[in-house]
Amino acid sequence: MPAIPSIAERQEQSPVLRDRFGRDIRYLRISVTDKCDLRCNYCMPKGFRDFTEPAAWLTYPEILRLTRIFAALGTRRVRITGGEPLTRKGLPQLIAGIRAIERVEDISLSTNGTLLAPVAAELQAAGLNRLNVSLDSLDRACWAGITGADKLPHVLAGLEAARAAGLGPVKVNMVLLKGVNEHEIPAVVRYCFEHGYILRLIEEMPMGQTGSVRGMATLETIRQQLVSEFGLIPVTRELGGGPARYWETPDGHNSLGFITPMSQHFCASCNRVRLASDGRLYLCLGQEHSVDLRAPLRDGCSDAELTAIIRQAIELKPEKHEFREQPQQIIRFMSHTGG
Ligand code: SAM
Ligand code: SF4
């Protein structure tokens, strides 16, 4: 087996953040809050209130400083997530600040959509390129049962507003919840095709105690059914740049993605790290390896010192998640790092 190069050797070879497995880190996901106006039962426990105090959140200037450092190290894509990012005040200002960072090419947002309609145009004007909206059901009662709130019409209005604001193509994320929303998948596919949204179906991951209660469900059978029902063909060209594998209608007008962390993972091409709202940098969605960046930020570290801390942190990036092998090991909820 060839010797793994030392951190100094790797840094010499690559000014870009490169991990021990030769993966270049180009994508930073930033959680701006772990708070949320919903309680999706696969993400957070019912009545959960044990959120990080806002004083512990990174401020926008702190987030911008870290993003600038990441951009200098090769980050080209930034996603804002949460919790629900639109519950934090002033998000368009943060987006405008990230937009001003020269090397960042793409800014996206993950949202549950409840607060989206009134701010979609402002987000676009601030420099947001794209967004993903969660939509686990089109049935108002089923949606309320999953999220704990009766706000499906707000989400649908948010989707429309995003499209009208030019934040397209809008992506819709639907988590497969065994025995809860499986039967609705063809209807959601049809709805997204009709509205020009790109639907991505996601296998539920065992995050915290909430993401593991239903047991594992994979998308393989559903994929076969949808391929046959909609005459889908696999997309072979690069699309999306993430873990989704896409299929499309024969006329090429509509595509449908499958994100399968449980049945087939794509860790070998993972290019991302996650900054939690409290300033902790998580190296893998499915592992707890992390490094605190808030203390060095607030202790007056220089950019060069922060750069060195980030480079060291990347050394901890694990080879892969172990959702199948060790489903109980992720104690944090998905809302902490934002998916
Ligand atoms: N609040 C925003 C939203 O719901 O889109 C952003 C944060 S949320 C944690 C990001 C994504 O993670 C959502 O698409 C959500 O459905 C997904 N998610 C949460 N818990 C999950 C789990 N246990 N397995 C798979 N996806 C999950
Ligand atoms: Fe909130 Fe998103 Fe988690 Fe639902 S999935 S509880 S909307 S953070």
Side-chain angles (χ1 to χ4, degrees):
M1 214 175 93
I4 295 179
S6 71
I7 179 170
E9 283 167 339
R10 264 198 311 286
Q11 284 174 13
E12 225 168 78
Q13 288 161 9
S14 168
V16 171
L17 285 176
R18 180 168 294 166
D19 78 355
R20 292 177 296 148
F21 306 98
R23 297 172 295 194
D24 287 346
I25 308 306
R26 298 281 192 185
Y27 185 9
L28 176 66
R29 298 172 72 109
I30 303 170
S31 170
V32 293
T33 173
D34 57 347
K35 284 200 169 139
C36 189
D37 56 336
L38 301 182
R39 293 290 181 278
C40 302
N41 53 26
Y42 56 87
C43 178
M44 268 190 226
K46 200 172 176 194
F48 181 77
R49 298 214 60 80
D50 192 12
F51 298 108
T52 315
E53 284 304 313
W57 296 344
L58 293 187
T59 63
Y60 287 163
E62 287 170 335
I63 292 174
L64 289 172
R65 183 167 172 218
L66 287 178
T67 308
R68 255 181 244 115
I69 293 172
F70 270 96
L73 289 168
T75 291
R76 296 292 172 263
R77 294 173 65 187
V78 172
R79 174 172 294 276
I80 307 296
T81 180
E84 176 44 45
L86 292 177
T87 61
R88 184 159 173 184
K89 282 202 186 89
L91 203 67
Q93 284 95 290
L94 176 68
I95 288 169
I98 298 173
R99 175 49 67 218
I101 300 173
E102 208 181 306
R103 287 180 256 206
V104 173
E105 293 162 5
D106 182 71
I107 310 174
S108 54
L109 173 77
S110 288
T111 173
N112 64 28
T114 57
L115 302 167
L116 179 59
V119 291
E122 195 187 349
L123 292 169
Q124 196 275 341
L128 185 70
N129 296 107
R130 310 176 290 115
L131 48 70
N132 293 0
V133 180
S134 292
L135 180 67
D136 297 322
S137 170
L138 280 171
D139 177 285
R140 195 164 172 165
C142 179
W143 192 92
I146 295 167
T147 62
D150 179 24
K151 294 183 181 171
L152 177 62
H154 299 63
V155 180
L156 301 183
L159 279 164
E160 279 297 333
R163 187 172 56 164
L167 285 166
V170 174
K171 287 185 180 152
V172 169
N173 286 345
M174 176 179 191
V175 179
L176 163 66
L177 303 167
K178 204 167 158 183
V180 178
N181 65 358
E182 290 162 282
H183 61 287
E184 280 201 60
I185 290 177
V188 179
V189 173
R190 233 169 273 120
Y191 173 84
C192 288
F193 282 2
E194 278 164 21
H195 289 77
Y197 307 142
I198 299 178
L199 176 65
R200 286 123 47 90
L201 299 171
I202 304 173
E203 288 174 351
E204 186 181 9
M205 291 171 254
M207 302 283 293
Q209 79 253 48
T210 46
S212 43
V213 287
R214 272 167 287 272
M216 194 177 89
T218 71
L219 283 165
E220 184 49 29
T221 311
I222 291 159
R223 187 174 59 77
Q224 286 168 14
Q225 285 164 5
L226 295 173
V227 164
S228 144
E229 183 171 346
F230 294 94
L232 303 174
I233 48 177
V235 174
T236 47
R237 65 187 182 282
E238 169 65 29
L239 196 66
R245 292 297 171 265
Y246 285 93
W247 292 65
E248 64 187 356
T249 49
D251 60 10
H253 283 166
N254 296 110
S255 49
L256 173 60
F258 295 85
I259 301 180
T260 54
M262 303 307 291
S263 56
Q264 193 184 12
H265 68 67
F266 295 94
C267 300
S269 55
C270 180
N271 61 354
R272 57 198 63 191
V273 290
R274 296 170 166 84
L275 182 63
S277 52
D278 59 2
R280 200 154 259 287
L281 185 72
Y282 285 87
L283 286 314
C284 173
L285 181 62
Q287 304 269 13
E288 295 289 359
H289 305 68
S290 68
V291 166
D292 177 35
L293 298 181
R294 189 185 62 197
L297 259 176
R298 295 191 180 170
D299 287 350
C301 275
S302 66
D303 282 6
E305 287 165 328
L306 285 166
T307 301
I309 293 169
I310 291 169
R311 281 201 182 274
Q312 288 288 351
I314 298 301
E315 292 296 293
L316 294 177
K317 188 167 168 62
E319 186 177 10
K320 56 188 173 68
H321 67 65
E322 293 172 312
F323 285 137
R324 281 185 87 133
E325 300 86 333
Q326 308 214 47
Q328 306 306 333
Q329 83 173 3
I330 304 302
I331 43 176
R332 68 178 191 268
F333 300 121
M334 191 69 108
S335 53
H336 191 65
T337 40

